[in-house]
Each structure stands twice: as structure tokens, then as C-alpha cells.
């Protein structure tokens, strides 16, 4: 997680410019909500992307940080830290003793995540996996308690994973296999 802190002083790069800087829909929350019925980014429907949850997260960042890239990077790092904690929670249920912590630390420090964390455009991947893991944890709680609220939370998290990035559909497969 610490290796990503220099991103706080970085600017916007590559797709960040299209997804954030040139994305007029994130300038107001009302227009960001329109992303639930339009392509992402709205100015480029030819990309064939649909990521309203990610677009909404950019809109919240813009509301708080304006056009300053450090705030956007900080949000992505915070989401990554949350994701690493979720990895630890899931690993503790799957692996014995210290192996869970080792797996979570390996995930946290692995350099393959640099693009997803250090580039604001990679936030869609972080959000999708975060919601996917939350769905898995909710499915487990529903399994152990039988309470319908956990099932509803699982469905909400699965929908959020898919609305953050198209590949979030894999969370449905994983949670379905668990159930």
C-alpha cells in the first residue's frame, strides 16, 4: 500500500484525461447520475463502456477536490486499502493461521496493482473487486444467519460490481459458485 503513496503528487495520465479531465458529466452530481442510462465516458460512446458507479465516484471526488488530481489519487488509494482489508477478511476464512495475513500482504504489495491504483482510470477495477468481495462476504453471512437482509446486500454489491466495471459479472460467477 505504501508504494502507491507517491501517486498523491501525480497528475492525470492517459485515460485519466478522458475519464476525468474531459468528462463533463462528473462536474455535477445530477449529470453524473445520468451515467446510469448513458455510456462511459459520455463523450465517447464508441468505447462501449458502461460504468456508472465509477463515474459517480469521480463526481464525488470532483465535488470534494475540484480538478486537483491528488484528491482523485487519494480516493483510489483509500479504496485499495479497503480492498486489501477485504482480501484479509476473505483469506482468513479460507486459509489457516498466518497464511491469510501473508496472502493479504502479498496482494497489497504486488506490483501488478500499480496501474489500477496509481492511475485514476483504474478505479473501476478497484471498485468492481471491492464490491465483488463484499458480495462474497454478504453471501457467507446470509449462509450462516439465513437473514434475507444479507441476501439483499449481496445482490446490491453484485450489481455495484457490475456497474463499476463490465468484468464485475465475474463476481456473480464466484458468488454463485460459493452458494
Amino acid at each position: 500500500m505504501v508504494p502507491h503513496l507517491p501517486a498523491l503528487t501525480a497528475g492525470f495520465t492517459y485515460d485519466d484525461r478522458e475519464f476525468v479531465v474531459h468528462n463533463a458529466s462528473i462536474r455535477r452530481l445530477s449529470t453524473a447520475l445520468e451515467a446510469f442510462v448513458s455510456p462511459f465516458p459520455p463523450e465517447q460512446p464508441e468505447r462501449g463502456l458502461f460504468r456508472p458507479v465509477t463515474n459517480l465516484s469521480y463526481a464525488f471526488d470532483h465535488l470534494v477536490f475540484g480538478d486537483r488530481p491528488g484528491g482523485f489519487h487519494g480516493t483510489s488509494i483509500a479504496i485499495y486499502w479497503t480492498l486489501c482489508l477485504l482480501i484479509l477478511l476473505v483469506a482468513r476464512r479460507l486459509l489457516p493461521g498466518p497464511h491469510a495475513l501473508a496472502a493479504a500482504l502479498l496482494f497489497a504489495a504486488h506490483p501488478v496493482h500499480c496501474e489500477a491504483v496509481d492511475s485514476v482510470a483504474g478505479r473501476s477495477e478497484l471498485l468492481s473487486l471491492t464490491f465483488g468481495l463484499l458480495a462474497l462476504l454478504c453471501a457467507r453471512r446470509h449462509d450462516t444467519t439465513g437473514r434475507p437482509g444479507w441476501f439483499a446486500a449481496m445482490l446490491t454489491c453484485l450489481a455495484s460490481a457490475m456497474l463499476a466495471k463490465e468484468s464485475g459479472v465475474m463476481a456473480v460467477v464466484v458468488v454463485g459458485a460459493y452458494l
Side-chain angles (χ1 to χ4, degrees):
M1 296 179 286
V2 173
H4 303 289
L5 291 179
L8 292 171
T9 60
F12 292 117
T13 60
Y14 305 112
D15 281 342
D16 294 353
R17 290 183 188 99
E18 300 303 321
F19 292 175
V20 176
V21 177
H22 302 300
N23 184 352
S25 74
I26 68 167
R27 303 294 179 250
R28 293 190 342 233
L29 289 179
S30 60
T31 55
L33 290 172
E34 292 172 10
F36 282 88
V37 293
S38 60
F40 176 82
E43 296 84 8
Q44 296 181 346
E46 67 276 6
R47 283 188 180 227
L49 302 177
F50 185 67
R51 300 178 181 173
V53 168
T54 302
N55 200 60
L56 193 58
S57 79
Y58 294 152
F60 280 119
D61 275 1
H62 189 269
L63 180 69
V64 175
F65 305 112
D67 292 325
R68 295 184 303 277
F72 286 81
H73 287 294
T75 299
S76 292
I77 292 169
I79 294 168
Y80 186 64
W81 288 352
T82 302
L83 178 56
C84 291
L85 290 173
L86 290 171
I87 292 288
L88 177 61
L89 289 175
V90 170
R92 286 181 59 203
R93 284 154 178 74
L94 301 173
L95 301 170
H99 300 297
L101 180 59
L105 289 174
L106 177 63
F107 179 89
H110 203 286
V112 75
H113 301 131
C114 285
E115 184 178 356
V117 181
D118 299 340
S119 167
V120 177
R123 183 178 303 174
S124 59
E125 297 171 27
L126 301 175
L127 287 171
S128 184
L129 184 54
T130 297
F131 284 119
L133 288 175
L134 284 171
L136 184 61
L137 291 170
C138 289
R140 187 175 187 286
R141 289 293 287 174
H142 171 71
D143 214 20
T144 57
T145 66
R147 293 189 177 157
W150 286 110
F151 190 78
M154 176 199 71
L155 292 177
T156 302
C157 289
L158 287 174
S160 297
M162 290 184 288
L163 294 173
K165 187 168 184 175
E166 302 79 10
S167 58
V169 72
M170 289 308 299
V172 175
V173 174
V174 170
V175 171
Y178 169 79
L179 291 175

